Amino acid sequence: MAGTRTQADEARETAVETALARLDLDAKTRLLAGQDMWTLPALPEIGLASLVMSDGPIGVRGVRWTADDPSVALPSPTALAATWDPELAHRAGVLLAQEARRKGVHVLLAPTVNLHRSPLGGRHFEAYSEDPLLTGLIGAAYVEGVQSGGVGTTVKHFVANDAETERFTVNNKVSERALRELYLAPFETIVAKARPWGIMTAYNAVNGTTMTEHHHLVNEVLRAEWGFDGANVSDWMAARSTTGAVEGGLDIAMPGPGTVYGPALAAAVRSGEVEEARVDEAVRRVLRLAARVGALKGAEPVVAEPPAEVDGQALAREIARRSFVLVRNEGALPLPPGGSVALIGAAARDARVLGGGSAIVFPARTVSPLDGLTAALPEGSLTYAVGADPNTELAVADKGFALRAVCRDAAGQVIGTCSAPNGQIQWMGSDLPEGVTHDTLHTVELTGTFTPRESGPHTLGIKGRGHFVLTVAGTTHYAGNRGGGRSEPFAAFFGGPEPHAVVELTAGEPVEVSLTHTVSIPADAPVKGVGFTLVHQEPRRDPDELIAEAVVAARAADTAVVVVATTELVESEGFDRTDLTLPGRQDDLVRAVAAVNPRTVVVVNSGSPVEMPWRDEVAAVLLTWFPGQEGGAALADVLTGAEEPGGRLPTTWGSLADAPVTRVAPTDGELPYTEGVFIGYRAWEREGRAPAHPFGHGLGYTTWAYDSLELDGTTAKVRVRNTGDRPGREVVQLYAAPTEPDAERPARELAGFATVTAKPGETVEAVIDIPRRVFEIWDEKTGSWSFVKGSYEIQAGRSIMDRRLTGTINV
């Protein structure tokens, strides 16, 4: 299923076998264990370089957590899926491969193709969609793009890692049918279309077996049935058992050096617990990965000449504007030329361009909405008011802070320094400043200046565990131990911040700040990590006062643009959401502004759905996801009408009260997927509930007529006409509905899509092939796909609820 081998593949296989034959047991088992946080050991005796991996769904961080080597930051994966454009996803992949090569990275730990099972999933911004077909096609194009640049991917997290609560231990109980039709489906599509060189198995268990030991899903389904021939890497610290992992098909246990492989695996072979042939299979797959990326001497890499260079800044801007979804527009957009604009919201000034957790990168520049509109609008036509701040708690020390990390040994001697992005230290494994080792490191001091932009009481605090000393302007405000909290790995990175100093400061006058952490790493820690954050909150002004100021600005302007947002304490890896409301007084702000300005445009800066109780009270609503480093420039493009918002919803947006699937918290370690195959729009339709904005919905700046639908077998030809007065792009969507009602099947499901462009008055044709799988269900009795013959209504339209043309096919 994953394609036949070429002559070049065969030559690489010969090189792999030659290399494998020269390795002894200790070398083989060492190769399967990370040597540190991000790399595998080099084996010079066979010409094998150290394989380097890096996080990177939206940008390639590299092996160091530092802003000294910036990364292009693309929009969030939800944004990429909102383009409904695999070709654009392919281009994103090509750029990320270019970034990976620049940073010496062989394998990108991406894409994330878990489904949006529930809107409460905290990491949904990092996955694509609630629909497996859309997810699979965007994911396949992304993988092809990255690998066309000679860099490997690890499609993750295999499988059913659809929420964050108890993610290290949860046992997700999923029916075989739901697994096949929903959760496995994107992985299957990507294996078939893109032949990924890697896959990452998840922390969670599925039906009682942890995924790093899941022989059935990894060896029998992924490999034997689908033909996947790549390497299987564990999620970081997910592997728990030497024999369980190797029998379950896990090739690489990350990170190192303390893993279940290496010496432990060699010992298991010598004691007869594990056959050496199993180890050889895993090593063969790792060497194959190395050969493909050019890290094995004597093996020709898959890509000898990298693709032409991509302009990362331009592509980030293009993806952003193509991803923005205009869900409501009562004539307010595009902005009328020459009019005045009041830009409102703390999120307009301090852009939230990416989600929290392992997807974080440090771009060389970030364009906020305020930056973008200031550059695009005539001088004097734009005013700004804070209005409301989404950050109701302390956030990472960012605007106005200039910090470095100074590392000292026990004698107080400086042994290394580096930049400290946003007051954060997140050093895992060997990711330490030049010249620093864990043996010599005693303290890390975050030190530098803070230049406030507002006068008044500023609050500073700490996120992290251990001993800290916090000093501001020469005064020590805290010296002591911070402990407790969650015991799971990475808790220091995802835990909550706490205030420890309130200091009166004057706008524009810099003060010295210092946060010193005494490093203490438990001897039994699986990974040596140093992680803590200096956090800050500006003077808290009366929220009613801020809203009143915004109202004055809005009343005086022709158009009011309100930017609302979530924060890292709302959407991040590491925890799920408890509600879908916007933090702080942002809903109150929108209502107050809309009451005085009938041309109120709301820009929603969130990676996944939020409730918008005011949506019918405003003139326009534009969803911008986490729009990446060029988000503000792209926003100006779209608001001014220089470009059209090109996005369509990859996930249903509705209220939590109406959402059909909301359970993400396990009971006694188990989370049953009782909804079966009914998630997302499938579940909304089954329940007969109308969401705020349906799957597939999105408006542009022109109008479209759907003229004809022609069906030839399972190929659909849809003719659409641009009936507006400007060029536009349309996403033509096909849905398949069995004409015989079946309570066990969704009423309809996405069967295909295509994007087309047309000038005013022009007619264009979208040709869409409907995959066979649309007409199949998984039969749990026979353990196989069952083709459901009969009559299907094929519906073409603009969303799951806006279906314009229908035709019938019999299969």
Side-chain angles (χ1 to χ4, degrees), residues 74 80 85-98 141-142 144-146 148 308 310-312 314-316 318-319 321-322 729:
L74 296 178
L80 191 59
D85 189 344
E87 190 270 334
L88 198 53
H90 186 279
R91 289 166 57 204
V94 172
L95 169 68
L96 292 173
Q98 175 180 302
Y142 176 103
E144 285 177 320
V146 174
S148 76
V310 179
D311 181 337
L315 183 59
E318 182 185 352
I319 292 172
R321 66 176 183 245
R322 290 277 310 280
R729 179 185 299 272

PDB file of all heavy atoms in Angstrom, residues 74 80 85-98 141-142 144-146 148 308 310-312 314-316 318-319 321-322 729:
ATOM      1  N   LEU A  74       5.497  29.735  11.469  1.00  0.00           N
ATOM      2  CA  LEU A  74       4.321  29.694  10.601  1.00  0.00           C
ATOM      3  C   LEU A  74       3.049  29.707  11.446  1.00  0.00           C
ATOM      4  O   LEU A  74       3.103  29.478  12.664  1.00  0.00           O
ATOM      5  CB  LEU A  74       4.354  28.426   9.740  1.00  0.00           C
ATOM      6  CG  LEU A  74       5.504  28.310   8.738  1.00  0.00           C
ATOM      7  CD1 LEU A  74       5.427  26.969   7.999  1.00  0.00           C
ATOM      8  CD2 LEU A  74       5.488  29.454   7.747  1.00  0.00           C
ATOM      9  N   LEU A  80      -3.320  26.085   9.143  1.00  0.00           N
ATOM     10  CA  LEU A  80      -2.939  25.421   7.886  1.00  0.00           C
ATOM     11  C   LEU A  80      -4.095  24.591   7.343  1.00  0.00           C
ATOM     12  O   LEU A  80      -4.394  24.610   6.143  1.00  0.00           O
ATOM     13  CB  LEU A  80      -1.707  24.545   8.118  1.00  0.00           C
ATOM     14  CG  LEU A  80      -1.034  23.991   6.862  1.00  0.00           C
ATOM     15  CD1 LEU A  80      -0.562  25.089   5.929  1.00  0.00           C
ATOM     16  CD2 LEU A  80       0.140  23.088   7.257  1.00  0.00           C
ATOM     17  N   ASP A  85      -5.986  23.555   1.661  1.00  0.00           N
ATOM     18  CA  ASP A  85      -5.153  23.581   0.457  1.00  0.00           C
ATOM     19  C   ASP A  85      -3.902  22.731   0.649  1.00  0.00           C
ATOM     20  O   ASP A  85      -2.891  23.209   1.168  1.00  0.00           O
ATOM     21  CB  ASP A  85      -4.774  25.035   0.135  1.00  0.00           C
ATOM     22  CG  ASP A  85      -4.098  25.159  -1.221  1.00  0.00           C
ATOM     23  OD1 ASP A  85      -3.648  24.141  -1.778  1.00  0.00           O
ATOM     24  OD2 ASP A  85      -4.015  26.296  -1.723  1.00  0.00           O
ATOM     25  N   PRO A  86      -3.937  21.469   0.214  1.00  0.00           N
ATOM     26  CA  PRO A  86      -2.757  20.610   0.371  1.00  0.00           C
ATOM     27  C   PRO A  86      -1.502  21.178  -0.291  1.00  0.00           C
ATOM     28  O   PRO A  86      -0.399  21.011   0.221  1.00  0.00           O
ATOM     29  CB  PRO A  86      -3.193  19.288  -0.278  1.00  0.00           C
ATOM     30  CG  PRO A  86      -4.683  19.271  -0.112  1.00  0.00           C
ATOM     31  CD  PRO A  86      -5.107  20.709  -0.276  1.00  0.00           C
ATOM     32  N   GLU A  87      -1.663  21.882  -1.382  1.00  0.00           N
ATOM     33  CA  GLU A  87      -0.486  22.441  -2.074  1.00  0.00           C
ATOM     34  C   GLU A  87       0.217  23.466  -1.179  1.00  0.00           C
ATOM     35  O   GLU A  87       1.448  23.541  -1.134  1.00  0.00           O
ATOM     36  CB  GLU A  87      -0.935  23.090  -3.394  1.00  0.00           C
ATOM     37  CG  GLU A  87       0.217  23.503  -4.312  1.00  0.00           C
ATOM     38  CD  GLU A  87       0.728  24.926  -4.072  1.00  0.00           C
ATOM     39  OE1 GLU A  87      -0.055  25.769  -3.588  1.00  0.00           O
ATOM     40  OE2 GLU A  87       1.910  25.179  -4.362  1.00  0.00           O
ATOM     41  N   LEU A  88      -0.558  24.241  -0.436  1.00  0.00           N
ATOM     42  CA  LEU A  88       0.021  25.210   0.493  1.00  0.00           C
ATOM     43  C   LEU A  88       0.700  24.490   1.655  1.00  0.00           C
ATOM     44  O   LEU A  88       1.770  24.914   2.127  1.00  0.00           O
ATOM     45  CB  LEU A  88      -1.083  26.154   0.998  1.00  0.00           C
ATOM     46  CG  LEU A  88      -0.666  27.478   1.637  1.00  0.00           C
ATOM     47  CD1 LEU A  88       0.271  28.274   0.739  1.00  0.00           C
ATOM     48  CD2 LEU A  88      -1.898  28.311   1.990  1.00  0.00           C
ATOM     49  N   ALA A  89       0.093  23.393   2.115  1.00  0.00           N
ATOM     50  CA  ALA A  89       0.712  22.583   3.181  1.00  0.00           C
ATOM     51  C   ALA A  89       2.034  21.999   2.697  1.00  0.00           C
ATOM     52  O   ALA A  89       3.012  21.912   3.461  1.00  0.00           O
ATOM     53  CB  ALA A  89      -0.243  21.469   3.615  1.00  0.00           C
ATOM     54  N   HIS A  90       2.081  21.594   1.434  1.00  0.00           N
ATOM     55  CA  HIS A  90       3.318  21.067   0.845  1.00  0.00           C
ATOM     56  C   HIS A  90       4.406  22.136   0.869  1.00  0.00           C
ATOM     57  O   HIS A  90       5.549  21.884   1.264  1.00  0.00           O
ATOM     58  CB  HIS A  90       3.045  20.608  -0.590  1.00  0.00           C
ATOM     59  CG  HIS A  90       4.210  19.907  -1.239  1.00  0.00           C
ATOM     60  ND1 HIS A  90       5.269  20.581  -1.799  1.00  0.00           N
ATOM     61  CD2 HIS A  90       4.466  18.583  -1.415  1.00  0.00           C
ATOM     62  CE1 HIS A  90       6.136  19.704  -2.294  1.00  0.00           C
ATOM     63  NE2 HIS A  90       5.673  18.491  -2.068  1.00  0.00           N
ATOM     64  N   ARG A  91       4.051  23.368   0.499  1.00  0.00           N
ATOM     65  CA  ARG A  91       5.020  24.468   0.503  1.00  0.00           C
ATOM     66  C   ARG A  91       5.500  24.781   1.915  1.00  0.00           C
ATOM     67  O   ARG A  91       6.676  25.100   2.122  1.00  0.00           O
ATOM     68  CB  ARG A  91       4.419  25.700  -0.163  1.00  0.00           C
ATOM     69  CG  ARG A  91       4.273  25.533  -1.677  1.00  0.00           C
ATOM     70  CD  ARG A  91       3.388  26.604  -2.278  1.00  0.00           C
ATOM     71  NE  ARG A  91       3.882  27.945  -1.994  1.00  0.00           N
ATOM     72  CZ  ARG A  91       3.115  29.034  -1.992  1.00  0.00           C
ATOM     73  NH1 ARG A  91       1.816  28.945  -2.255  1.00  0.00           N
ATOM     74  NH2 ARG A  91       3.635  30.210  -1.732  1.00  0.00           N
ATOM     75  N   ALA A  92       4.597  24.672   2.882  1.00  0.00           N
ATOM     76  CA  ALA A  92       4.998  24.852   4.286  1.00  0.00           C
ATOM     77  C   ALA A  92       6.040  23.807   4.667  1.00  0.00           C
ATOM     78  O   ALA A  92       7.046  24.109   5.330  1.00  0.00           O
ATOM     79  CB  ALA A  92       3.786  24.755   5.204  1.00  0.00           C
ATOM     80  N   GLY A  93       5.810  22.568   4.232  1.00  0.00           N
ATOM     81  CA  GLY A  93       6.763  21.491   4.516  1.00  0.00           C
ATOM     82  C   GLY A  93       8.125  21.740   3.894  1.00  0.00           C
ATOM     83  O   GLY A  93       9.170  21.501   4.526  1.00  0.00           O
ATOM     84  N   VAL A  94       8.144  22.234   2.662  1.00  0.00           N
ATOM     85  CA  VAL A  94       9.413  22.539   1.984  1.00  0.00           C
ATOM     86  C   VAL A  94      10.190  23.595   2.775  1.00  0.00           C
ATOM     87  O   VAL A  94      11.407  23.478   2.984  1.00  0.00           O
ATOM     88  CB  VAL A  94       9.162  23.002   0.533  1.00  0.00           C
ATOM     89  CG1 VAL A  94      10.456  23.515  -0.103  1.00  0.00           C
ATOM     90  CG2 VAL A  94       8.579  21.870  -0.305  1.00  0.00           C
ATOM     91  N   LEU A  95       9.491  24.627   3.239  1.00  0.00           N
ATOM     92  CA  LEU A  95      10.151  25.660   4.036  1.00  0.00           C
ATOM     93  C   LEU A  95      10.719  25.081   5.332  1.00  0.00           C
ATOM     94  O   LEU A  95      11.850  25.389   5.728  1.00  0.00           O
ATOM     95  CB  LEU A  95       9.165  26.782   4.377  1.00  0.00           C
ATOM     96  CG  LEU A  95       9.690  27.782   5.425  1.00  0.00           C
ATOM     97  CD1 LEU A  95      10.838  28.615   4.871  1.00  0.00           C
ATOM     98  CD2 LEU A  95       8.587  28.677   5.951  1.00  0.00           C
ATOM     99  N   LEU A  96       9.945  24.227   5.999  1.00  0.00           N
ATOM    100  CA  LEU A  96      10.411  23.662   7.271  1.00  0.00           C
ATOM    101  C   LEU A  96      11.621  22.752   7.056  1.00  0.00           C
ATOM    102  O   LEU A  96      12.521  22.695   7.903  1.00  0.00           O
ATOM    103  CB  LEU A  96       9.270  22.929   7.970  1.00  0.00           C
ATOM    104  CG  LEU A  96       8.145  23.858   8.466  1.00  0.00           C
ATOM    105  CD1 LEU A  96       6.973  23.062   8.993  1.00  0.00           C
ATOM    106  CD2 LEU A  96       8.651  24.819   9.536  1.00  0.00           C
ATOM    107  N   ALA A  97      11.656  22.055   5.918  1.00  0.00           N
ATOM    108  CA  ALA A  97      12.839  21.242   5.605  1.00  0.00           C
ATOM    109  C   ALA A  97      14.062  22.147   5.429  1.00  0.00           C
ATOM    110  O   ALA A  97      15.170  21.828   5.891  1.00  0.00           O
ATOM    111  CB  ALA A  97      12.594  20.431   4.341  1.00  0.00           C
ATOM    112  N   GLN A  98      13.864  23.264   4.774  1.00  0.00           N
ATOM    113  CA  GLN A  98      14.943  24.242   4.581  1.00  0.00           C
ATOM    114  C   GLN A  98      15.450  24.733   5.940  1.00  0.00           C
ATOM    115  O   GLN A  98      16.663  24.818   6.178  1.00  0.00           O
ATOM    116  CB  GLN A  98      14.387  25.397   3.758  1.00  0.00           C
ATOM    117  CG  GLN A  98      15.296  26.581   3.533  1.00  0.00           C
ATOM    118  CD  GLN A  98      14.571  27.635   2.684  1.00  0.00           C
ATOM    119  OE1 GLN A  98      14.144  27.366   1.571  1.00  0.00           O
ATOM    120  NE2 GLN A  98      14.412  28.835   3.229  1.00  0.00           N
ATOM    121  N   ALA A 141       0.313  16.064   2.501  1.00  0.00           N
ATOM    122  CA  ALA A 141       1.000  17.085   1.707  1.00  0.00           C
ATOM    123  C   ALA A 141       2.148  17.716   2.506  1.00  0.00           C
ATOM    124  O   ALA A 141       3.224  17.991   1.963  1.00  0.00           O
ATOM    125  CB  ALA A 141       0.005  18.156   1.266  1.00  0.00           C
ATOM    126  N   TYR A 142       1.919  17.932   3.792  1.00  0.00           N
ATOM    127  CA  TYR A 142       2.957  18.478   4.675  1.00  0.00           C
ATOM    128  C   TYR A 142       4.158  17.530   4.719  1.00  0.00           C
ATOM    129  O   TYR A 142       5.311  17.945   4.571  1.00  0.00           O
ATOM    130  CB  TYR A 142       2.337  18.673   6.055  1.00  0.00           C
ATOM    131  CG  TYR A 142       3.241  19.133   7.178  1.00  0.00           C
ATOM    132  CD1 TYR A 142       3.212  20.459   7.612  1.00  0.00           C
ATOM    133  CD2 TYR A 142       4.074  18.247   7.844  1.00  0.00           C
ATOM    134  CE1 TYR A 142       4.008  20.882   8.675  1.00  0.00           C
ATOM    135  CE2 TYR A 142       4.879  18.659   8.898  1.00  0.00           C
ATOM    136  CZ  TYR A 142       4.845  19.974   9.313  1.00  0.00           C
ATOM    137  OH  TYR A 142       5.625  20.378  10.363  1.00  0.00           O
ATOM    138  N   GLU A 144       5.000  15.165   2.553  1.00  0.00           N
ATOM    139  CA  GLU A 144       5.665  15.149   1.244  1.00  0.00           C
ATOM    140  C   GLU A 144       6.550  16.378   1.080  1.00  0.00           C
ATOM    141  O   GLU A 144       7.659  16.295   0.545  1.00  0.00           O
ATOM    142  CB  GLU A 144       4.617  15.122   0.121  1.00  0.00           C
ATOM    143  CG  GLU A 144       3.952  13.774  -0.054  1.00  0.00           C
ATOM    144  CD  GLU A 144       2.873  13.806  -1.125  1.00  0.00           C
ATOM    145  OE1 GLU A 144       2.124  14.799  -1.206  1.00  0.00           O
ATOM    146  OE2 GLU A 144       2.781  12.831  -1.890  1.00  0.00           O
ATOM    147  N   GLY A 145       6.070  17.535   1.548  1.00  0.00           N
ATOM    148  CA  GLY A 145       6.856  18.760   1.435  1.00  0.00           C
ATOM    149  C   GLY A 145       8.142  18.697   2.239  1.00  0.00           C
ATOM    150  O   GLY A 145       9.224  19.016   1.735  1.00  0.00           O
ATOM    151  N   VAL A 146       8.038  18.268   3.498  1.00  0.00           N
ATOM    152  CA  VAL A 146       9.229  18.169   4.352  1.00  0.00           C
ATOM    153  C   VAL A 146      10.214  17.171   3.748  1.00  0.00           C
ATOM    154  O   VAL A 146      11.416  17.465   3.608  1.00  0.00           O
ATOM    155  CB  VAL A 146       8.849  17.747   5.789  1.00  0.00           C
ATOM    156  CG1 VAL A 146      10.113  17.509   6.622  1.00  0.00           C
ATOM    157  CG2 VAL A 146       7.971  18.798   6.463  1.00  0.00           C
ATOM    158  N   SER A 148      10.481  16.110   0.714  1.00  0.00           N
ATOM    159  CA  SER A 148      11.044  16.533  -0.570  1.00  0.00           C
ATOM    160  C   SER A 148      12.275  17.405  -0.357  1.00  0.00           C
ATOM    161  O   SER A 148      13.070  17.605  -1.266  1.00  0.00           O
ATOM    162  CB  SER A 148      10.003  17.315  -1.390  1.00  0.00           C
ATOM    163  OG  SER A 148       9.847  18.637  -0.892  1.00  0.00           O
ATOM    164  N   ALA A 308      14.355  24.590  -4.448  1.00  0.00           N
ATOM    165  CA  ALA A 308      14.707  26.011  -4.494  1.00  0.00           C
ATOM    166  C   ALA A 308      14.343  26.679  -3.179  1.00  0.00           C
ATOM    167  O   ALA A 308      13.365  26.296  -2.518  1.00  0.00           O
ATOM    168  CB  ALA A 308      13.967  26.685  -5.650  1.00  0.00           C
ATOM    169  N   VAL A 310      12.948  28.959  -0.260  1.00  0.00           N
ATOM    170  CA  VAL A 310      11.626  29.541  -0.002  1.00  0.00           C
ATOM    171  C   VAL A 310      11.805  30.776   0.871  1.00  0.00           C
ATOM    172  O   VAL A 310      12.594  30.755   1.821  1.00  0.00           O
ATOM    173  CB  VAL A 310      10.715  28.519   0.722  1.00  0.00           C
ATOM    174  CG1 VAL A 310       9.350  29.121   1.009  1.00  0.00           C
ATOM    175  CG2 VAL A 310      10.580  27.237  -0.098  1.00  0.00           C
ATOM    176  N   ASP A 311      11.065  31.834   0.576  1.00  0.00           N
ATOM    177  CA  ASP A 311      11.062  33.031   1.418  1.00  0.00           C
ATOM    178  C   ASP A 311      10.112  32.786   2.591  1.00  0.00           C
ATOM    179  O   ASP A 311       8.889  32.823   2.438  1.00  0.00           O
ATOM    180  CB  ASP A 311      10.602  34.237   0.578  1.00  0.00           C
ATOM    181  CG  ASP A 311      10.590  35.542   1.373  1.00  0.00           C
ATOM    182  OD1 ASP A 311      10.496  35.501   2.619  1.00  0.00           O
ATOM    183  OD2 ASP A 311      10.659  36.612   0.745  1.00  0.00           O
ATOM    184  N   GLY A 312      10.684  32.514   3.768  1.00  0.00           N
ATOM    185  CA  GLY A 312       9.875  32.134   4.925  1.00  0.00           C
ATOM    186  C   GLY A 312       8.925  33.222   5.380  1.00  0.00           C
ATOM    187  O   GLY A 312       7.775  32.954   5.744  1.00  0.00           O
ATOM    188  N   ALA A 314       7.559  35.629   3.571  1.00  0.00           N
ATOM    189  CA  ALA A 314       6.455  35.769   2.618  1.00  0.00           C
ATOM    190  C   ALA A 314       5.473  34.603   2.730  1.00  0.00           C
ATOM    191  O   ALA A 314       4.251  34.798   2.672  1.00  0.00           O
ATOM    192  CB  ALA A 314       7.003  35.858   1.196  1.00  0.00           C
ATOM    193  N   LEU A 315       6.016  33.392   2.918  1.00  0.00           N
ATOM    194  CA  LEU A 315       5.128  32.228   3.017  1.00  0.00           C
ATOM    195  C   LEU A 315       4.317  32.269   4.302  1.00  0.00           C
ATOM    196  O   LEU A 315       3.119  31.937   4.310  1.00  0.00           O
ATOM    197  CB  LEU A 315       5.935  30.926   2.939  1.00  0.00           C
ATOM    198  CG  LEU A 315       5.107  29.639   2.952  1.00  0.00           C
ATOM    199  CD1 LEU A 315       4.119  29.598   1.788  1.00  0.00           C
ATOM    200  CD2 LEU A 315       5.999  28.397   2.928  1.00  0.00           C
ATOM    201  N   ALA A 316       4.928  32.691   5.399  1.00  0.00           N
ATOM    202  CA  ALA A 316       4.193  32.808   6.670  1.00  0.00           C
ATOM    203  C   ALA A 316       3.025  33.775   6.517  1.00  0.00           C
ATOM    204  O   ALA A 316       1.918  33.528   7.021  1.00  0.00           O
ATOM    205  CB  ALA A 316       5.135  33.281   7.781  1.00  0.00           C
ATOM    206  N   GLU A 318       1.495  34.592   3.642  1.00  0.00           N
ATOM    207  CA  GLU A 318       0.508  34.027   2.710  1.00  0.00           C
ATOM    208  C   GLU A 318      -0.369  32.982   3.401  1.00  0.00           C
ATOM    209  O   GLU A 318      -1.603  32.990   3.266  1.00  0.00           O
ATOM    210  CB  GLU A 318       1.215  33.408   1.506  1.00  0.00           C
ATOM    211  CG  GLU A 318       0.251  32.839   0.475  1.00  0.00           C
ATOM    212  CD  GLU A 318       0.944  32.124  -0.669  1.00  0.00           C
ATOM    213  OE1 GLU A 318       2.194  32.186  -0.776  1.00  0.00           O
ATOM    214  OE2 GLU A 318       0.235  31.468  -1.461  1.00  0.00           O
ATOM    215  N   ILE A 319       0.262  32.072   4.157  1.00  0.00           N
ATOM    216  CA  ILE A 319      -0.525  31.042   4.848  1.00  0.00           C
ATOM    217  C   ILE A 319      -1.496  31.700   5.828  1.00  0.00           C
ATOM    218  O   ILE A 319      -2.666  31.306   5.930  1.00  0.00           O
ATOM    219  CB  ILE A 319       0.384  30.041   5.586  1.00  0.00           C
ATOM    220  CG1 ILE A 319       1.182  29.205   4.580  1.00  0.00           C
ATOM    221  CG2 ILE A 319      -0.444  29.103   6.482  1.00  0.00           C
ATOM    222  CD1 ILE A 319       2.256  28.331   5.224  1.00  0.00           C
ATOM    223  N   ARG A 321      -2.971  34.747   5.821  1.00  0.00           N
ATOM    224  CA  ARG A 321      -4.171  35.367   5.223  1.00  0.00           C
ATOM    225  C   ARG A 321      -5.058  34.322   4.542  1.00  0.00           C
ATOM    226  O   ARG A 321      -6.272  34.471   4.507  1.00  0.00           O
ATOM    227  CB  ARG A 321      -3.772  36.484   4.270  1.00  0.00           C
ATOM    228  CG  ARG A 321      -3.023  36.032   3.045  1.00  0.00           C
ATOM    229  CD  ARG A 321      -2.743  37.220   2.104  1.00  0.00           C
ATOM    230  NE  ARG A 321      -2.081  36.791   0.901  1.00  0.00           N
ATOM    231  CZ  ARG A 321      -0.845  37.127   0.547  1.00  0.00           C
ATOM    232  NH1 ARG A 321      -0.116  37.901   1.330  1.00  0.00           N
ATOM    233  NH2 ARG A 321      -0.329  36.691  -0.583  1.00  0.00           N
ATOM    234  N   ARG A 322      -4.447  33.265   4.024  1.00  0.00           N
ATOM    235  CA  ARG A 322      -5.241  32.206   3.401  1.00  0.00           C
ATOM    236  C   ARG A 322      -5.984  31.373   4.447  1.00  0.00           C
ATOM    237  O   ARG A 322      -6.937  30.664   4.124  1.00  0.00           O
ATOM    238  CB  ARG A 322      -4.323  31.296   2.570  1.00  0.00           C
ATOM    239  CG  ARG A 322      -3.766  31.953   1.291  1.00  0.00           C
ATOM    240  CD  ARG A 322      -4.731  31.884   0.138  1.00  0.00           C
ATOM    241  NE  ARG A 322      -5.213  30.548  -0.045  1.00  0.00           N
ATOM    242  CZ  ARG A 322      -4.524  29.577  -0.667  1.00  0.00           C
ATOM    243  NH1 ARG A 322      -3.339  29.820  -1.175  1.00  0.00           N
ATOM    244  NH2 ARG A 322      -5.035  28.372  -0.782  1.00  0.00           N
ATOM    245  N   ARG A 729     -11.415  33.276  -4.290  1.00  0.00           N
ATOM    246  CA  ARG A 729     -11.049  31.861  -4.166  1.00  0.00           C
ATOM    247  C   ARG A 729     -12.198  31.152  -3.458  1.00  0.00           C
ATOM    248  O   ARG A 729     -12.726  31.644  -2.467  1.00  0.00           O
ATOM    249  CB  ARG A 729      -9.762  31.726  -3.350  1.00  0.00           C
ATOM    250  CG  ARG A 729      -9.300  30.285  -3.127  1.00  0.00           C
ATOM    251  CD  ARG A 729      -8.087  30.249  -2.203  1.00  0.00           C
ATOM    252  NE  ARG A 729      -6.967  30.974  -2.781  1.00  0.00           N
ATOM    253  CZ  ARG A 729      -6.065  30.431  -3.597  1.00  0.00           C
ATOM    254  NH1 ARG A 729      -6.150  29.150  -3.910  1.00  0.00           N
ATOM    255  NH2 ARG A 729      -5.080  31.158  -4.071  1.00  0.00           N
TER     256      ARG A 729
END
